Amino acid sequence: MSGDGTNGLWFGHLSERAQRVGPSPIGGLMVRALEQPALISLAAGFVDQASLPVEAARSAVLSALAEPEAARAALQYGTTAGDVQLREQIARAITDADVAALHANNPDRLTAPLNVPRAENMLITAGSNQILALLAEALLDPGDVILCDAPTYFVFTSIVKGVAGRCIGIAADEHGMRLDALEAELARHAHDGQLHRIKAVYVMSYFDNPRGVSLSAQRRAELLALVERYSHNRPIYVIEDAAYRELRYEAPDLPSLFSYDKAQKFVIYTGTFSKSFAPGVRVGYGVFPPDLLQVMLALKGNLDFGSPYLNQRLVSHALSDGLYEPHVALLRSVYGRKAACMLDALEAELTPLGIAHWVRPRGGLYVWVELAAHLDTGEQGQLFARACELGVLYVPGEPCFPEGAVQRSCMRLSFGVQSEPRIAEGIAKLARAIREQL
Amino acid sequence: MSGDGTNGLWFGHLSERAQRVGPSPIGGLMVRALEQPALISLAAGFVDQASLPVEAARSAVLSALAEPEAARAALQYGTTAGDVQLREQIARAITDADVAALHANNPDRLTAPLNVPRAENMLITAGSNQILALLAEALLDPGDVILCDAPTYFVFTSIVKGVAGRCIGIAADEHGMRLDALEAELARHAHDGQLHRIKAVYVMSYFDNPRGVSLSAQRRAELLALVERYSHNRPIYVIEDAAYRELRYEAPDLPSLFSYDKAQKFVIYTGTFSKSFAPGVRVGYGVFPPDLLQVMLALKGNLDFGSPYLNQRLVSHALSDGLYEPHVALLRSVYGRKAACMLDALEAELTPLGIAHWVRPRGGLYVWVELAAHLDTGEQGQLFARACELGVLYVPGEPCFPEGAVQRSCMRLSFGVQSEPRIAEGIAKLARAIREQL
């Protein structure tokens, strides 16, 4: 704590908040992958490299820059909320998807969504993660609570921790969050007079990260009813993170949780073009209950008064020029094959061992493998070290768990980045590392 | 405060932070400008529309997407810090500018900068405003202080207010922040045992918003020495916002404050390509003392784990393909003419009234006009209303003042957006509105 102001370490000059944030829980894994290029990384949540839409992006950006006046507009500042034409396109696309999914699933004989997104309630950001970060600012004071699946998206728990909020984990099964467990947690808070602390339920409603599981259609309506029932004087919001909605390859689409929100004041819907088009373009969005939108706009105004407008025009043209849908169709087929490859390899390599369990994902980018409880998958453990030695990397399950029962015997495997032969080879190496621990 | 959870207004469901942020102080002005398209807005800080680099942007983005492997990389996620090649280009450009400016100015017989930026200490963001927002998170707890010019950039004061920090205004003259006033404020805090509350001095060092004034070369070295002297155990950072550095049209460049930081631990340098290239591409950056960089990366990781990579590759190609420098040269000439036009009109229209004073800006986008103290420029006042009626819009000075002596008789005029005839017409209308108040 001594110093003349120019030498030695500084202490205590950062905010409390700065002292809460740490490096990414998987930052070390990324460094390892870079240092050891032969390593087969089944860890990174990057998207398939080969299918990135080079031609479509080029075509869309040229469209955005073709007509001189529109080109200059694309290179100027936009509004904080984002391009209204793109917002309208997104609103239409969500509505169309919800209508089609309702008809296909018809879980409770609805024929029209109870809630449809409107462009004026939407905010465009550089990826939907920004929406999650701004929502944490908007909703959480220190000690406030978000309920989420256990396990859940580890960047989200890191965001919540960054504002001194708490993520409490709710048990989940192959149909998503268990509503009996959710209700028990709500009731416990109500009983303790702490219900006002619960600001939202976070649900990755389609092919979640890390498990690849979707909340079932029946549970969507019930979850909404439950949240409404416990919203006394103030709403318990539902943050519906639909980042992987488009990446389905074996399942019909489901109506969004948002579409069930007949009061139009509980559900925030977030989505992104990072997974379904290109992460390097980085366009995401959120749809908000109107009272919350104003706060989000003010926070976004302070952050950067609106995300890059050129990228928004690029995506708008990708949608209107017919470049987006064929790309999504391609991705479904590419990821469908990769998922099948990983599942076949897991079946062949791990099933005989009798110590591994996974839910077959029907979309998204991940398989979540639960091993027998005595097998520690942690970054400091023997299994992880041996897997790295053999040349395969996975995400240990532990950082994916919010407060509550942390399991140390799980791993997240991504089939997004690697080719099919490398996926098969990676799973074989992983199985060898596991066998050696038995 | 009553309700069944689905009707009526909600109360108390937002964070304290959300309750601190408000709409942009000039949001109402923007709405007015949109509602009244004939209005000559001298308010918006947008850039000149006609000179936006359509051809250069098209060429640069095509370069970024030309070679298949590089194209796919540009469409993939990047790193949180941003493209290393672009960071190296920026570091080189700042170094070159500082070396050239040192030789040209040679204020204290330095022949080489004491500090040069390094790519590994840099973070790329979507506009440099994001750097300011993340810095406020990193540095400020409630009640912490930033010292800044009075007047200063009003989005910055809004950001600081958003994290419950305080901006204290320091008197400034035609050479920038007055160091006697800065020292007095530092000494006052030291005397009161509150020096630890001062986290940084914010300086828009080139052609500041709203006054168009640059901190003089001599004051740069002295400001650094002063800040070092008051940094006991912890640094008082200097946030050097160089957003307008490239937009000089009548003055030689000055060495950055950053270049004087021989301890390499006080100055944070931020810049952007929004003003000098295209706001719609939105690439900004910050260079940090190493210990602060890690925190900034963690905060940026939670926010969006890195800004759109395609835009970074676009700017990198604009720099390496020789598209950027000629565009900056064009902007200097365009804005130089517009500034001269506004200054000529002010001279012709306001000087005869004997109640107006302004400092001639030699760069940037703004002229700051101080009227006689009895003339209220505020949004609720008669002058503002009459100016709008006559068809001209300005930014009232009041929101530009941090805590301290707020002046209600100033206005910020931007010559960025309007054509020269419209600038002249706007100033004539403004002068008429002012004359009517006398």
Side-chain angles (χ1 to χ4, degrees):
Chain A
M1 288 289 285
S2 74
D4 63 1
T6 57
N7 294 312
L9 287 172
W10 299 112
F11 290 92
H13 61 302
L14 297 178
S15 67
E16 285 183 21
R17 167 142 185 200
Q19 291 166 43
R20 281 195 299 267
V21 297
S24 161
I26 66 162
L29 305 190
M30 298 299 137
V31 171
R32 233 182 248 255
L34 288 171
E35 285 170 355
Q36 212 179 321
L39 205 64
I40 298 175
S41 173
L42 304 174
F46 283 23
V47 301
D48 178 64
Q49 187 85 352
S51 62
L52 281 162
V54 174
E55 286 306 323
R58 194 185 286 146
S59 172
V61 77
L62 284 180
S63 292
L65 294 174
E67 197 274 308
E69 196 168 337
R72 284 194 289 268
L75 295 174
Q76 184 60 275
Y77 287 104
T79 59
T80 302
D83 180 37
V84 68
Q85 198 177 330
L86 176 58
R87 284 184 279 136
E88 282 166 359
Q89 290 170 297
I90 294 169
R92 247 190 333 268
I94 298 171
T95 305
D96 290 350
D98 280 343
V99 168
L102 259 180
H103 281 265
N105 289 271
N106 202 14
D108 44 8
R109 301 200 191 88
L110 288 175
T111 52
L114 297 168
N115 189 16
V116 295
R118 295 157 172 275
E120 63 263 36
N121 294 334
M122 196 181 296
L123 167 63
I124 309 269
T125 48
S128 59
N129 201 84
Q130 248 185 35
I131 299 278
L132 302 179
L134 294 173
L135 267 174
E137 307 283 358
L139 298 179
L140 301 177
D141 285 317
D144 281 352
V145 169
I146 302 238
L147 305 179
C148 58
D149 285 326
T152 190
Y153 175 42
F154 54 74
V155 178
F156 184 72
T157 56
S158 173
I159 288 169
V160 170
K161 188 179 155 208
V163 296
R166 296 171 58 199
C167 274
I168 296 182
I170 305 293
D173 60 24
E174 69 272 29
H175 304 296
M177 188 178 281
R178 277 179 42 191
L179 300 187
D180 56 343
L182 175 61
E183 179 151 26
E185 195 63 45
L186 289 164
R188 184 173 76 80
H189 275 76
H191 178 267
D192 297 346
Q194 295 297 310
L195 197 57
H196 62 284
R197 280 299 198 179
I198 299 180
K199 294 301 186 78
V201 181
Y202 173 71
V203 184
M204 208 171 234
S205 52
Y206 300 88
F207 319 116
D208 74 71
N209 179 352
R211 296 197 311 139
V213 163
S214 298
L215 189 70
S216 71
Q218 192 185 334
R219 286 193 193 171
R220 289 171 191 239
E222 290 173 13
L223 188 148
L224 252 292
L226 191 54
V227 157
E228 282 203 44
R229 189 138 53 78
Y230 277 87
S231 288
H232 305 145
N233 301 334
R234 53 177 69 77
I236 296 172
Y237 289 112
V238 176
I239 304 171
E240 177 174 30
D241 183 343
Y244 297 94
R245 181 172 189 176
E246 290 77 13
L247 297 191
R248 61 188 153 80
Y249 36 78
E250 267 197 10
D253 196 22
L254 293 173
S256 63
L257 264 162
F258 181 89
S259 72
Y260 293 101
D261 182 14
K262 66 177 184 296
Q264 308 193 330
K265 53 171 66 164
F266 293 99
V267 181
I268 298 141
Y269 181 96
T270 77
T272 181
F273 292 93
S274 293
K275 309 295 181 188
S276 61
F277 193 66
V281 176
R282 224 65 209 295
V283 171
Y285 53 87
V287 191
F288 301 88
D291 58 343
L292 191 52
L293 179 78
Q294 296 311 315
V295 170
M296 293 294 289
L297 287 175
L299 289 168
K300 178 70 173 167
N302 274 355
L303 178 65
D304 58 19
F305 31 89
S307 285
Y309 196 52
L310 176 62
N311 306 42
Q312 299 176 43
R313 296 305 307 142
L314 187 164
V315 170
S316 177
H317 276 281
L319 291 166
S320 61
D321 298 357
L323 301 162
Y324 175 73
E325 280 302 336
H327 184 68
V328 173
L330 170 70
L331 289 185
R332 283 183 189 142
S333 124
V334 167
Y335 287 125
R337 282 199 305 274
K338 285 187 169 201
C341 169
M342 183 174 276
L343 291 164
D344 289 349
L346 287 170
E347 181 74 26
E349 298 278 351
L350 291 192
T351 302
L353 304 183
I355 47 79
H357 173 76
W358 57 91
V359 175
R360 182 182 185 86
R362 302 183 183 281
L365 294 178
Y366 309 106
V367 182
W368 176 254
V369 178
E370 300 179 17
L371 300 178
H374 68 280
L375 287 164
D376 177 3
T377 58
E379 213 177 330
Q380 308 307 324
Q382 288 180 358
L383 175 57
F384 187 80
R386 185 62 183 138
C388 287
E389 258 173 41
L390 291 172
V392 64
L393 200 62
Y394 61 82
V395 173
E398 193 175 337
C400 303
F401 283 92
E403 273 183 48
V406 174
Q407 292 174 43
R408 295 179 207 284
S409 54
C410 306
M411 57 177 69
R412 187 192 81 173
L413 302 175
S414 169
F415 49 82
V417 174
Q418 302 296 339
S419 65
E420 291 171 56
R422 297 257 293 175
I423 289 172
E425 192 187 336
I427 297 297
K429 287 173 190 290
L430 182 63
R432 182 174 158 194
I434 293 171
R435 274 196 307 270
E436 291 178 8
Q437 308 302 310
L438 297 176
Chain B
M1 289 290 285
S2 74
D4 62 2
T6 58
N7 294 311
L9 289 170
W10 300 111
F11 291 92
H13 62 302
L14 297 179
S15 66
E16 285 183 20
R17 165 142 188 201
Q19 291 166 42
R20 282 193 301 266
V21 296
S24 161
I26 67 162
L29 305 189
M30 298 299 136
V31 171
R32 235 182 246 255
L34 288 171
E35 284 170 357
Q36 213 179 318
L39 205 63
I40 298 175
S41 174
L42 303 175
F46 285 20
V47 300
D48 178 63
Q49 187 85 354
S51 62
L52 280 162
V54 174
E55 287 306 321
R58 193 186 288 146
S59 172
V61 77
L62 284 180
S63 291
L65 293 175
E67 197 274 308
E69 195 168 338
R72 285 193 290 267
L75 296 174
Q76 183 61 274
Y77 287 104
T79 59
T80 302
D83 180 37
V84 68
Q85 198 177 330
L86 176 59
R87 284 184 279 137
E88 283 165 0
Q89 289 171 299
I90 295 169
R92 250 193 327 270
I94 298 171
T95 303
D96 290 349
D98 280 343
V99 168
L102 258 180
H103 282 263
N105 290 271
N106 201 13
D108 44 7
R109 301 200 190 86
L110 286 175
T111 52
L114 297 168
N115 189 15
V116 295
R118 295 159 172 272
E120 63 263 36
N121 293 334
M122 195 181 295
L123 166 64
I124 309 270
T125 49
S128 59
N129 201 83
Q130 247 184 36
I131 299 276
L132 302 179
L134 293 174
L135 268 174
E137 306 283 359
L139 297 180
L140 300 177
D141 285 318
D144 281 351
V145 169
I146 304 243
L147 306 179
C148 57
D149 283 327
T152 189
Y153 175 41
F154 54 73
V155 178
F156 184 72
T157 56
S158 173
I159 288 169
V160 171
K161 190 179 153 210
V163 297
R166 297 170 59 201
C167 275
I168 296 182
I170 305 294
D173 60 24
E174 68 271 30
H175 303 296
M177 188 178 282
R178 277 179 42 192
L179 300 188
D180 57 342
L182 175 62
E183 179 152 26
E185 195 62 46
L186 289 165
R188 186 174 74 81
H189 274 77
H191 178 268
D192 296 347
Q194 295 296 311
L195 197 59
H196 63 284
R197 280 301 198 179
I198 299 181
K199 295 301 186 79
V201 181
Y202 173 71
V203 183
M204 209 172 233
S205 51
Y206 299 88
F207 320 117
D208 75 71
N209 179 352
R211 297 196 311 139
V213 163
S214 298
L215 188 70
S216 71
Q218 193 185 332
R219 286 194 192 170
R220 288 174 192 237
E222 290 173 14
L223 189 148
L224 252 291
L226 191 55
V227 158
E228 281 202 45
R229 189 140 49 80
Y230 277 87
S231 289
H232 305 147
N233 301 334
R234 52 177 70 78
I236 296 172
Y237 289 111
V238 176
I239 304 171
E240 176 174 29
D241 183 342
Y244 298 94
R245 180 172 192 176
E246 290 77 12
L247 298 191
R248 61 189 154 80
Y249 37 78
E250 268 196 11
D253 196 21
L254 293 173
S256 62
L257 264 163
F258 181 88
S259 72
Y260 293 100
D261 183 15
K262 66 176 184 296
Q264 308 194 328
K265 53 172 63 164
F266 294 98
V267 181
I268 298 141
Y269 182 96
T270 76
T272 180
F273 293 92
S274 292
K275 309 295 181 189
S276 62
F277 192 68
V281 176
R282 224 65 209 298
V283 172
Y285 53 88
V287 191
F288 301 87
D291 59 342
L292 192 51
L293 179 77
Q294 296 310 315
V295 170
M296 293 294 289
L297 287 175
L299 290 167
K300 179 69 173 167
N302 273 355
L303 177 65
D304 58 17
F305 30 89
S307 284
Y309 196 52
L310 177 62
N311 306 41
Q312 299 177 44
R313 296 305 307 142
L314 188 164
V315 170
S316 177
H317 275 281
L319 291 167
S320 60
D321 298 357
L323 301 162
Y324 175 72
E325 280 302 335
H327 184 69
V328 174
L330 170 71
L331 290 185
R332 282 182 188 143
S333 125
V334 167
Y335 287 125
R337 283 198 304 275
K338 286 187 168 201
C341 170
M342 182 174 276
L343 290 164
D344 288 349
L346 287 169
E347 180 74 26
E349 298 278 352
L350 292 192
T351 301
L353 303 184
I355 46 80
H357 172 77
W358 58 92
V359 175
R360 182 182 184 86
R362 302 184 183 279
L365 294 178
Y366 311 106
V367 181
W368 177 254
V369 177
E370 300 179 17
L371 300 178
H374 68 280
L375 287 164
D376 177 3
T377 58
E379 212 176 331
Q380 307 307 322
Q382 288 179 359
L383 175 58
F384 188 81
R386 185 61 182 138
C388 287
E389 257 172 42
L390 291 171
V392 63
L393 199 61
Y394 62 81
V395 173
E398 193 175 338
C400 303
F401 284 93
E403 272 182 48
V406 174
Q407 292 173 43
R408 294 178 209 287
S409 54
C410 305
M411 56 178 69
R412 188 193 78 174
L413 302 175
S414 170
F415 49 81
V417 174
Q418 303 296 340
S419 66
E420 291 171 56
R422 297 256 295 174
I423 288 171
E425 192 187 338
I427 297 297
K429 287 174 188 290
L430 182 62
R432 182 175 159 195
I434 293 171
R435 277 195 305 271
E436 290 178 9
Q437 309 302 312
L438 297 176

